[in-house]
C-alpha cells in the first residue's frame, strides 16, 4: 500500500540521494580550485581543465535536478529557504553561472575577458560553490532564522507565508561557526575528490606525484573538520516532533536517529569507511589510481545517510531557531499525495537515466586523458 | 529591515529581475533548439552518404552550437531558482503543481542533454558513427523535452487547470496530471515556441551562409547550409503561424484582457477591427482572428473593467465585483484559519471561501485599474512579433527560390536581407515573450495569484542589487558570446 507517509519518505530519500550525488560530483569544483596550484604550465592546466570539462555538465545538471526535485516534493523548503536565505543561494548560483561559461570561452579567441579571467571564474566556483553548499547543508542541523505562517495568505497587504527573521537573508549563516566547519569540510572533500578524479582520469607522469601530495594536503583538514562536525551533530541536540506534534529540542537526536535506523547508520559508516579507504589507499599505494571510485561512492552513501538522518524518524530537517513550530519536516512541507505519487512514477525512469549516463561516461573515458590526445583531439576546451 | 507591507518597488524589481533573466535566456535557447535540428540533419547526411563534406559542415555548426549552449544553461539555472528566491509565496501556493514539471525536466531532459552533448563533442573518435549520430539527435531531443516541461509550467500559469485549492494546506493541489501536462494551451505553446526556436536556428544558419556568399567564401558549405536552413525555416515559420493563430483564439478565451491590450482595444464588440498600426484598421479582422468568426464578439479593456453581457447571454462581471468577491474569499479564508473560530463557523467560512474561490486572486488587487497590463508595450511587441515573422517568411522563401534557380549568388540585396534576418528573428522572439508575459500582468497565475501576492519578502535594495549584478554579468557574457561567435564564423570551418 502506497501511503502518503511512504511517499514523503521515498521522496526525501531521492532528494537525499541527489544531495549525495551532488556532493560527489563537486569533484569538478574541487578540481577546478586546484588549476593554478597544480598546473605549472599551460599544458598541465589545459589537461586539468579538459579533464573536469568533460564532466561539469553532470554536476550542473544534478544541481538543477536537486533544485527541481526539492521544489516538486518539498515546495515549502523551496519557498522558505530560497526566498529567505537569498544571498547564500544567489552567491552559489552566481558562482555556477561563471563556471558554466568559463570552460567553453576560456580558450576561444575574442572572449573579451581573457583566458586567465575565465580560469579564475573556474577557481572561484571551486572555492565558493562547495563551501556555500556546505554552509547551506549545515543549516539543516544548526537551524535558520525564519517564520512560516500559512495563514498570512489571508492578509491582503502582506500575504507572505515564509519570512526571514532578520535582514541578513542567509548571510547570518556565516555567524554560526559550525556552518563554517561543514562548509570547509565540503570544500576540502571536493578538493580531495578532485585530485582523486584527476589521478584516475589523467595519464601524466608530471602531475601524478603532485596530485598524491595534494590528496594528503586536503585530506587532513577534511578529516579533522568532518570529524568535528559529525561529533557536534551526534553529541548535540536536534529538533524533533514530539508525541503532540510539537517541534522540540531533543538531546542526541541525530545520534539516536542513526541508532534507531540501523540501515541509515550502517550506510553512514560504510560511506565514511569507503571515503577513508579511497583516500588512504591512494596515499599508501603509489600505483593506485582508482581512489575516486571508493571515495566517490562513499561520499554518496555518507551524505545520503546524513540527510536521511536529518529528515527521517520524526526530525525537523530545516529547523527554525526563532520559531521552532515553523520548522520544516518531511510531513509539513511536502507536496500532496497525488503529486508525490505521480512524481514517483516518473522517478522510475531514474535507472534508465543512470544507465545511459554510465554507458556514455564509459565510452568517453575508456582511455585516460593524455597530452597527446589534447594535441590531436578533435574538440578541446 | 522588515517591511510592513509589500512595497511596489519590491514587486517591480522582482519582476524586472525575472524578466531580465527570461529575456537573456531566450536569446540563447532558441538557437540551441534550431541549430540542433540543422546540425543533426547534416550529420545524418554524413552517415548516410559517407561524405566528409557533411561531417565538416555539421562540425562547424556544432562549434557555434557549443558557444551558444553554455550561456543558455547558465541563465536557465538562475531562472529555475528565481521561482524560489524571488517568488517564494508562489512556490508554496502552487508548488504542488508547478514543481513537478521542473523536476521532470531535470530527470528526463537535462540529463539527456548533458550526457549526449559530451558524446557529441568528445566522441567522434571514441564511439561508432551510429552512436555519435544518435547522441547528436538526442542532444536536440533533450533540449526539446526540456522546452516541453518548462512550457507546460508556463502554460499552466497562463491557464491554470487540473488543480483545486486546499484551505488546510493553503495551496493549490494537483488533481489531474494529464490535464496539466497536455492542456491544449500547453500543446499549442510548446509547438509555437519550439518551432520559433527552429526558425531562429534556421535564420541564423541562413544569415551566416549569406554572409559567406557576400564575401565569396565557403560557398559549397554556404549553399548546402542554405538549402537545409531555408526548408527547416519555412516549415517552422508556417508552423509558427498556424500555432500562433490557435494561440490567439486561446488567449481570447482565457486571457481576454491580454488580447485587448495586444490590440489597444478600449471598447470591443462584434466585427472588432484589427489594428495594423495606430489609425490603420482592418474591419472585422480581430473578430476573425480571435473567434474564427468575422461577427465574433471581442471585449475591449473598458468592457472587461465595467463588465458586459456576451451576445450568447453570458454575464461577465465587472472588475469591481470580482475584487469584492475576492475580498469575501480572503475574509472567509481568515475566518477559516483563525484558531478562535468555532467548528460550525469554520465549516461555513470554508464553504464561503470555496464558493468565491474563482475570484480569490482578485482580493489582493488595490483597484480595478491593476487589471490592465501595459498596453503600449504589449501592443507594439505584438506587431514586432507578427511583422518580423512575416518578413522572415518572405526572405526565407526568396532565398530558397533563388537558390533553387541558381541565381542567389547574384542577388546581393537578398543576401543582405538574409544576413539582417538574424536580428529580426531575435527581435520577433523577444517580442513574443513580451506579449505573453507583460500581457498577462498583474497575474503571476491567471486570475489566481497576482504578482503582489507571489513575491518573496525581501528588501527592495537587495533585489535591485542582484538585478544589476545579473544585468552586468549577462551583458558581459552576451558580448563575449557575440565576439566569439563572430570570430568563429570569420574563421570558418576547420579542415
Amino acid at each position: 500500500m502506497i501511503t502518503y507517509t511512504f511517499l514523503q519518505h521515498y521522496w526525501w530519500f531521492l532528494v537525499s540521494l541527489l544531495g549525495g550525488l551532488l556532493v560527489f560530483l563537486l569533484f569538478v569544483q574541487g578540481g577546478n580550485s586546484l588549476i593554478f596550484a597544480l598546473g605549472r604550465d599551460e599544458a598541465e592546466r589545459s589537461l586539468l581543465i579538459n579533464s573536469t570539462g568533460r564532466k561539469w555538465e553532470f554536476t550542473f545538471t544534478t544541481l538543477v535536478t536537486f533544485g527541481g526535485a526539492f521544489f516538486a516534493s518539498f515546495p515549502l523548503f523551496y519557498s522558505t529557504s530560497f526566498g529567505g536565505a537569498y544571498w547564500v543561494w544567489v552567491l552559489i548560483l552566481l558562482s555556477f553561472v561563471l563556471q558554466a561559461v568559463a570552460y567553453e570561452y576560456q580558450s576561444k579567441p575574442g572572449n573579451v575577458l581573457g583566458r586567465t579571467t575565465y580560469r579564475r571564474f573556474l577557481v572561484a566556483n571551486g572555492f565558493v560553490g562547495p563551501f556555500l553548499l556546505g554552509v547551506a547543508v549545515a543549516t539543516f542541523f544548526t537551524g535558520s532564522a525564519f517564520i512560516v505562517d500559512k495563514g498570512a495568505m489571508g492578509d491582503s497587504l502582506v500575504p507572505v507565508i515564509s519570512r526571514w527573521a532578520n535582514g541578513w537573508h542567509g548571510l547570518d549563516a556565516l555567524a554560526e561557526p559550525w556552518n563554517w566547519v561543514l562548509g570547509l569540510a565540503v570544500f576540502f572533500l571536493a578538493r580531495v575528490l578532485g585530485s582523486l578524479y584527476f589521478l584516475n582520469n589523467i595519464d601524466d607522469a608530471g602531475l601524478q606525484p603532485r596530485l598524491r601530495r595534494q590528496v594528503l594536503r586536503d585530506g587532513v583538514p577534511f578529516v579533522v573538520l568532518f570529524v568535528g562536525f559529525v561529533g557536534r551533530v551526534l553529541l548535540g541536540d536536534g529538533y524533533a516532533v514530539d508525541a503532540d506534534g510539537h517541534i522540540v529540542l531533543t538531546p542526541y537526536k541525530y545520534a539516536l536517529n542513526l541508532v534507531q535506523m540501523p540501515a541509515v547508520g550502517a550506510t553512514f559508516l560504510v560511506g565514511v569507511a569507503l571515503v577513508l579507504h579511497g583516500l588512504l589507499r591512494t596515499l599508501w599505494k603509489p600505483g593506485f589510481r582508482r581512489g575516486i571510485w571508493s571515495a566517490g561512492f562513499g561520499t554518496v552513501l555518507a551524505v545520503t545517510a546524513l540527510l536521511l538522518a536529518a529528515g527521517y524518524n520524526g526530525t525537523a530537517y530545516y529547523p527554525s531557531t526563532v520559531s521552532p513550530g515553523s520548522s520544516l519536516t518531511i510531513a509539513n512541507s511536502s507536496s500532496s499525495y497525488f503529486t508525490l505519487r505521480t512524481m514517483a512514477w516518473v522517478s522510475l525512469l531514474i535507472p534508465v537515466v543512470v544507465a545511459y549516463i554510465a554507458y556514455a561516461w564509459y565510452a568517453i573515458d575508456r582511455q585516460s586523458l593524455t597530452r597527446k590526445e589534447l594535441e590531436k583531439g578533435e574538440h578541446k576546451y | 529591515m522588515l517591511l510592513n507591507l509589500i512595497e511596489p518597488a519590491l514587486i517591480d524589481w522582482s519582476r524586472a529581475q525575472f524578466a531580465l533573466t527570461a529575456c537573456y535566456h531566450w536569446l540563447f535557447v532558441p538557437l540551441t533548439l534550431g541549430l540542433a535540428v540543422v546540425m543533426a540533419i547534416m550529420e545524418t547526411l554524413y552517415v548516410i552518404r559517407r561524405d566528409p563534406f557533411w561531417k565538416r559542415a555539421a562540425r562547424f555548426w556544432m562549434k557555434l552550437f557549443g558557444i551558444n549552449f553554455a550561456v543558455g544553461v547558465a541563465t536557465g539555472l538562475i531562472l529555475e531558482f528565481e521561482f524560489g528566491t524571488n517568488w517564494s509565496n508562489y512556490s508554496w501556493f502552487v508548488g504542488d503543481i508547478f514543481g513537478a514539471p521542473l523536476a521532470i525536466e531535470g530527470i528526463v531532459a537535462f540529463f539527456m542533454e548533458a550526457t549526449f552533448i559530451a558524446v557529441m563533442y568528445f566522441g567522434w573518435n571514441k564511439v561508432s558513427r551510429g552512436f555519435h549520430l544518435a547522441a547528436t539527435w538526442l542532444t536536440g531531443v533533450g533540449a526539446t523535452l526540456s522546452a516541453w516541461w518548462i512550457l507546460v509550467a508556463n502554460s499552466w500559469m497562463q491557464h491554470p487547470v487540473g488543480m483545486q485549492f486546499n484551505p488546510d494546506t493553503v495551496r493549490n493541489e494537483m488533481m489531474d496530471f494529464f490535464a496539466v501536462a497536455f492542456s491544449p494551451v500547453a500543446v499549442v505553446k510548446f509547438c509555437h515556441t519550439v518551432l520559433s526556436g527552429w526558425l531562429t536556428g534556421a535564420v541564423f544558419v541562413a544569415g551566416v551562409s549569406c554572409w559567406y556568399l557576400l564575401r565569396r567564401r565557403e560557398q559549397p558549405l554556404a549553399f548546402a547550409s542554405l538549402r537545409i536552413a531555408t526548408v527547416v525555416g519555412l516549415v517552422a515559420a508556417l508552423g509558427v503561424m498556424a500555432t500562433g493563430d490557435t494561440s490567439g483564439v486561446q488567449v481570447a478565451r482565457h486571457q481576454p484582457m491580454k488580447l485587448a491590450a495586444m490590440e489597444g482595444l478600449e471598447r470591443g464588440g462584434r466585427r472588432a477591427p484589427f489594428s495594423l498600426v495606430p489609425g490603420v484598421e482592418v474591419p472585422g479582422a480581430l473578430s476573425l482572428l480571435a473567434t474564427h468568426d468575422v461577427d465574433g464578439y471581442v471585449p475591449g479593456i473598458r468592457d472587461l473593467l465595467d463588465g458586459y453581457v456576451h451576445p450568447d447571454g453570458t454575464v461577465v462581471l465587472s472588475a469591481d465585483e470580482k475584487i469584492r468577491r475576492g475580498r469575501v474569499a480572503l475574509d472567509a479564508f481568515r475566518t477559516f484559519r483563525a484558531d478562535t473560530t468555532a467548528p460550525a463557523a469554520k465549516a461555513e467560512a470554508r464553504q464561503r471561501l470555496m464558493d468565491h474561490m474563482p475570484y480569490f486572486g482578485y482580493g489582493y488587487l488595490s483597484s480595478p485599474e491593476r487589471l490592465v497590463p501595459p498596453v503600449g508595450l504589449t501592443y507594439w511587441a505584438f506587431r514586432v512579433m507578427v511583422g518580423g515573422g512575416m518578413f522572415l517568411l518572405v526572405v526565407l522563401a526568396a532565398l530558397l527560390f533563388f537558390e533553387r534557380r541558381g541565381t542567389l549568388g547574384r542577388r546581393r540585396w537578398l543576401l543582405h536581407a538574409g544576413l539582417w534576418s538574424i536580428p529580426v528573428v531575435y527581435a520577433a522572439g523577444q517580442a513574443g515573450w513580451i506579449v505573453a508575459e507583460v500581457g498577462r500582468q498583474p497575474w503571476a497565475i491567471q486570475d489566481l495569484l497576482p504578482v503582489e501576492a507571489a513575491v518573496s519578502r525581501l528588501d527592495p535594495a537587495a533585489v535591485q542589487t542582484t538585478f544589476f549584478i545579473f544585468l552586468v554579468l549577462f551583458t558581459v557574457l552576451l558580448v563575449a558570446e557575440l565576439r566569439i561567435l563572430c570570430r568563429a564564423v570569420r574563421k570558418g570551418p576547420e579542415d
Side-chain angles (χ1 to χ4, degrees), chain A residues 60 64 68 78-79 82-83 86 105 110 153-154 158-159 161 163 334-336 338-339 356 364 373 378, chain B residues 4 59 67 71 73 80-81 84-85 88-89 92 96 112 117 121 126 171 174 333-334 364 457 466 481 483:
Chain A
F60 205 87
V64 174
Y78 203 80
S79 62
F82 286 81
Y86 186 74
Y105 287 9
M153 272 312 273
V158 196
I161 291 172
R163 63 188 71 193
S334 78
S335 283
S336 66
F338 181 86
T339 295
Y356 72 64
I364 296 288
E373 184 187 332
E378 297 205 4
Chain B
N4 295 320
R59 291 199 48 195
I67 295 164
V71 200
V73 169
E80 178 190 346
F81 283 90
T85 54
S88 72
N89 239 30
W92 172 251
D96 194 60
M112 184 184 283
I117 198 173
Y121 280 116
K126 297 185 175 183
R171 66 177 173 197
M174 186 151 57
F333 174 78
R334 282 192 293 272
Y364 296 109
R457 195 183 190 191
T466 50
E481 167 176 337
R483 282 197 70 197

Side-chain angles (χ1 to χ4, degrees), chain B residues 46 73 87 120 131 158 162 168 221 338 356 368 419 433:
Chain B
Y46 162 63
V73 169
W87 304 98
M120 186 175 89
F131 183 23
Q158 312 277 348
D168 294 312
L221 172 87
H356 290 81
L419 179 59
W433 276 109

Side-chain angles (χ1 to χ4, degrees), chain B residues 339-421:
Chain B
D339 294 334
T340 50
T341 308
K346 245 182 200 209
E348 187 277 328
R350 183 188 181 108
Q351 189 56 49
R352 196 155 35 98
L353 169 64
M354 298 316 283
D355 290 345
H356 290 81
M357 198 57 213
Y359 306 99
F360 186 84
Y362 287 86
Y364 296 109
L365 300 178
S366 54
S367 70
E369 282 65 37
R370 277 289 292 133
L371 284 166
V372 184
V375 176
L377 184 58
T378 315
Y379 175 90
W380 284 109
F382 184 64
R383 268 129 205 92
V384 170
M385 177 184 75
V386 175
M390 297 292 181
F391 172 80
L392 295 170
L393 188 68
V394 171
V395 171
L396 286 171
L399 284 171
L400 180 62
F401 177 76
F402 288 112
E403 198 280 326
R404 300 306 298 171
R405 292 188 65 177
T407 60
L408 181 59
R410 297 203 300 272
R411 294 174 199 277
R412 296 183 68 79
W413 61 271
L414 185 55
L415 296 175
H416 279 289
L419 179 59
W420 284 103
S421 294

Side-chain angles (χ1 to χ4, degrees), chain B residues 31-70:
Chain B
L31 189 57
T32 297
L33 293 169
L35 270 185
V37 176
V38 173
M39 65 197 197
I41 291 173
M42 288 178 172
E43 192 180 335
T44 307
L45 290 170
Y46 162 63
V47 171
I48 293 171
R49 298 182 184 175
R50 302 285 165 103
D51 181 351
F53 169 85
W54 287 112
K55 181 181 178 185
R56 184 171 174 265
R59 291 199 48 195
F60 172 64
W61 296 111
M62 278 176 193
K63 187 170 147 190
L64 304 189
F65 177 92
I67 295 164
N68 175 71
F69 181 79

Side-chain angles (χ1 to χ4, degrees), chain A residues 148-208:
Chain A
V148 175
D149 175 16
K150 291 176 186 170
M153 272 312 273
D155 185 341
S156 61
L157 292 179
V158 196
V160 177
I161 291 172
S162 301
R163 63 188 71 193
W164 214 246
N166 59 55
W168 291 96
H169 281 286
L171 294 179
D172 44 320
L174 296 175
E176 166 59 56
W178 287 109
N179 294 346
W180 279 82
V181 172
L182 187 63
L184 289 171
V186 173
F187 167 68
F188 283 111
L189 172 64
R191 280 162 73 96
V192 169
L193 293 172
S195 297
L196 293 175
Y197 167 74
F198 285 142
L199 272 171
N200 183 257
N201 191 250
I202 301 174
D203 187 2
D204 189 80
L207 277 172
Q208 293 275 338

Side-chain angles (χ1 to χ4, degrees), chain B residues 38 41-42 61 198-199 201-207 209 222-236 396 399-400:
Chain B
V38 173
I41 291 173
M42 288 178 172
W61 296 111
W198 288 20
L199 180 60
V203 168
F204 177 82
V205 171
S209 302
F223 279 119
S225 299
L226 258 174
R227 274 194 294 278
I228 293 174
T230 47
V231 172
V232 170
L234 282 171
V235 169
L396 286 171
L399 284 171
L400 180 62

Side-chain angles (χ1 to χ4, degrees), chain B residues 140-303:
Chain B
V141 169
T144 309
L145 280 176
S146 149
W148 171 267
W149 289 108
I150 193 64
L151 291 168
V152 161
N154 181 273
S155 302
W156 186 84
M157 293 161 77
Q158 312 277 348
H159 178 50
V161 289
M163 83 298 179
Q164 190 173 41
F165 182 68
N166 182 344
D168 294 312
T169 54
V170 195
R171 66 177 173 197
N172 287 275
E173 295 180 351
M174 186 151 57
M175 308 301 287
D176 184 346
F177 176 72
F178 289 97
V180 174
F182 299 101
S183 92
V185 174
V187 172
V188 171
K189 188 172 262 295
F190 168 75
C191 294
H192 190 64
T193 311
V194 169
L195 287 170
S196 79
W198 288 20
L199 180 60
T200 306
V203 168
F204 177 82
V205 171
V208 171
S209 302
C210 286
W211 185 82
Y212 280 133
L213 293 178
L214 284 166
R215 295 288 175 110
R216 296 191 170 84
R217 282 183 53 196
E218 302 291 345
Q219 300 207 19
L221 172 87
F223 279 119
S225 299
L226 258 174
R227 274 194 294 278
I228 293 174
T230 47
V231 172
V232 170
L234 282 171
V235 169
L238 292 171
V240 168
M241 280 176 66
T243 51
D245 173 66
T246 313
S247 182
V249 176
Q250 289 175 337
V251 169
R253 196 171 298 151
H254 306 304
Q255 297 174 298
M257 184 62 91
K258 183 196 279 185
L259 184 74
M262 281 158 64
E263 285 305 306
L265 188 69
E266 276 293 309
R267 284 281 177 198
R270 289 179 182 278
R271 283 186 171 264
F274 179 83
S275 164
L276 291 175
V277 288
V280 183
E281 294 181 339
V282 182
L286 178 59
S287 288
L288 187 63
L289 287 171
T291 65
H292 285 176
D293 174 2
V294 77
D295 279 328
Y297 182 88
V298 179
I301 293 168
R302 284 274 24 124
D303 303 313

